[in-house]
Amino acid sequence: MSIPLKANHILPKIELLSEIKRLKKQKNAIILAHYYQDPEIQDLADFVGDSLDLSRKAAATEADVIVFCGVRFMAEVAKILSPEKTVILPDMDAGCSLEDSCPPEEFAKFREKYPEHLCLTYINCSAAVKALSDIIVTSSNAEHILNQLPKDQKIIMAPDRHLGAYLAKKTGRDMIFWPGSCIVHERFSEKELIKLKAEHPTAPVTAHPECPDHILRHADHVGSTSSILKFVLENPSEKFLVATEPGIMHQMQKSAPHKIFIGAPGADGRCNCNQCPYMALNTLEKLYNCLDRLSPEIEVDEITRIKALAPLNKMLEMSPTMASNRPPKSGRSF
Ligand code: 13P
Ligand code: SF4
């Protein structure tokens, strides 16, 4: 019989891991994890990936239960794409500052002001905002999708103004931005990054496009978490400066133990302030409990789901192939 764990109830780690594996089998569940999750969760997962990889896996799985180790908008995408499945999230408070920055009522009014604009919305938003959008994008497919649209198409890019500005600069497109941002990627300090670059002059800088331009302009490579991983594994350099959430370093160190990865610093010169506080809410204990109780469960009302499904399907149709996006050698896959 399963033991429900309270916050102060510590089951020995080894037992916790074997109990999670037993429950997973018993409930025909699959564990999907984002690269920003705790290393122990990444190691336990059946599949680790970026937002696009995880959406594709959620749409394709034959499991009855999807345990989503990531943040709420990611688990919601799994439910929108696979409504017949039970989708659970270890901690329902695992939100995202980008989602919080874009309330659907205000976004609907914003859209009305630009009737001729096509709305490309970053996947980091609520199901209700997706339902108001034309095409969903992630950091790994946004440029590829933009390049398929007519050059004179007017575009709204929401809710990440930094990703929007990066894409506008890269593609020369005319875009209007929603003023949202990621609290994690905004904390990197340009001054400290310049100092770090001077200390490690041969180390390429790789950065996530959620970083502001004053960080991106120092980067040798800009891309999604999968793309960052691919870059450090394929690039011959031995040392890298990494401007994204430090959870990604786990896969880097596993796949290339001989290389050195240094996290880009925050204003205090260290990088631990750049841990995503929402991703960090998921723990092994909460993972065990949610599998045991099949709760907290993600629910999306059917009207919103159908409306949000159309721009998500559009994204899947217009995305590059899975193989071109994935790192050559990374975390576990099922
Ligand atoms: P990726 O799609 O690159 O994994 O980004 C997700 C995210 O939330 C980054 O902050
Ligand atoms: Fe949201 Fe930023 Fe956390 Fe990604 S890192 S989930 S964008 S708050």
Side-chain angles (χ1 to χ4, degrees):
M1 211 183 75
S2 310
I3 318 148
L5 295 183
K6 302 232 168 57
N8 59 358
H9 182 135
I10 316 275
L11 201 68
K13 179 73 60 62
I14 191 131
E15 240 178 90
L16 196 53
L17 295 175
S18 70
E19 274 296 288
I20 291 171
K21 285 180 188 151
R22 183 186 65 76
L23 284 170
K24 197 177 73 145
K25 204 164 168 197
Q26 187 195 84
K27 311 218 173 187
N28 188 26
I30 182 170
I31 302 179
L32 303 183
H34 188 264
Y35 289 123
Y36 294 167
Q37 288 290 280
D38 187 88
E40 285 172 333
I41 295 183
Q42 291 190 40
D43 288 346
L44 196 65
D46 297 293
F47 181 81
V48 189
D50 71 5
S51 308
L52 178 62
D53 305 327
L54 291 166
S55 309
R56 285 168 155 160
K57 283 291 170 192
T61 181
E62 284 176 6
D64 295 319
V65 176
I66 299 174
V67 190
F68 213 108
C69 296
V71 290
R72 202 174 46 236
F73 77 80
M74 296 176 176
E76 254 181 16
V77 168
K79 185 69 185 176
I80 294 166
L81 294 171
S82 290
E84 69 292 353
K85 315 248 179 246
T86 301
V87 180
I88 51 178
L89 180 68
D91 191 319
M92 205 47 115
D93 290 332
C96 169
S97 66
L98 279 166
E99 176 180 345
D100 294 346
S101 76
C102 193
E105 308 73 30
E106 286 173 39
F107 186 64
K109 286 187 208 145
F110 179 79
R111 270 223 74 171
E112 276 169 23
K113 286 201 272 176
Y114 305 102
E116 288 175 11
H117 286 64
L118 195 78
C119 186
L120 257 66
T121 306
Y122 193 33
I123 199 162
N124 298 39
C125 65
S126 64
V129 167
K130 286 184 178 75
L132 293 163
S133 306
D134 296 310
I135 310 174
I136 303 302
V137 297
T138 75
S139 47
S140 63
N141 61 19
E143 191 180 339
H144 184 86
I145 290 178
L146 265 170
N147 287 337
Q148 294 170 62
L149 303 175
K151 287 268 176 289
D152 57 352
Q153 175 65 57
K154 292 176 181 164
I155 292 163
I156 291 176
M157 178 80 216
D160 188 357
R161 67 193 168 99
H162 299 309
L163 174 68
Y166 166 73
L167 291 168
K169 197 168 165 184
K170 189 114 198 260
T171 63
R173 294 259 177 181
D174 181 16
M175 292 189 194
I176 290 172
F177 310 125
W178 178 268
S181 60
C182 162
I183 51 164
V184 174
H185 290 85
E186 274 202 326
R187 281 192 199 131
F188 293 115
S189 155
E190 181 183 18
K191 197 170 129 222
E192 295 297 332
L193 181 60
I194 291 170
K195 276 200 230 161
L196 197 67
K197 278 185 78 153
E199 282 170 40
H200 306 280
T202 59
V205 177
T206 176
H208 197 279
E210 286 172 16
C211 293
D213 182 61
H214 60 250
I215 297 296
L216 295 181
R217 62 177 169 237
H218 299 286
D220 301 283
H221 167 263
V222 177
S224 72
T225 49
S226 277
S227 167
I228 287 176
L229 191 52
K230 194 168 189 269
F231 173 74
V232 303
L233 299 185
E234 291 178 349
N235 188 290
S237 303
E238 291 288 305
K239 200 192 274 179
F240 298 85
L241 307 185
V242 181
T244 192
E245 214 271 359
I248 186 82
M249 310 265 215
H250 178 57
Q251 295 299 331
M252 293 179 178
Q253 266 145 12
K254 266 176 82 168
S255 303
H258 57 289
K259 294 192 177 186
I260 297 166
F261 305 106
I262 304 170
D268 62 355
R270 297 199 314 266
C271 62
N272 58 1
C273 52
N274 297 108
Q275 192 185 32
C276 174
Y278 306 102
M279 292 276 182
L281 287 174
N282 294 328
T283 61
L284 278 184
E285 285 78 10
K286 289 179 196 169
L287 170 50
Y288 166 87
N289 279 338
C290 86
L291 244 181
D292 183 37
R293 301 167 190 169
L294 294 184
S295 168
E297 186 179 350
I298 298 286
E299 314 262 11
V300 180
D301 77 78
E302 192 56 9
I303 295 174
T304 308
R305 191 189 75 79
I306 298 289
K307 285 189 187 153
L309 182 62
L312 268 172
N313 277 337
K314 199 107 198 113
M315 168 188 91
L316 294 174
E317 279 162 38
M318 297 176 82
S319 291
T321 60
M322 181 109 175
S324 64
N325 183 50
R326 290 282 291 169
K329 185 161 78 107
S330 64
R332 292 154 57 92
S333 180
F334 63 97

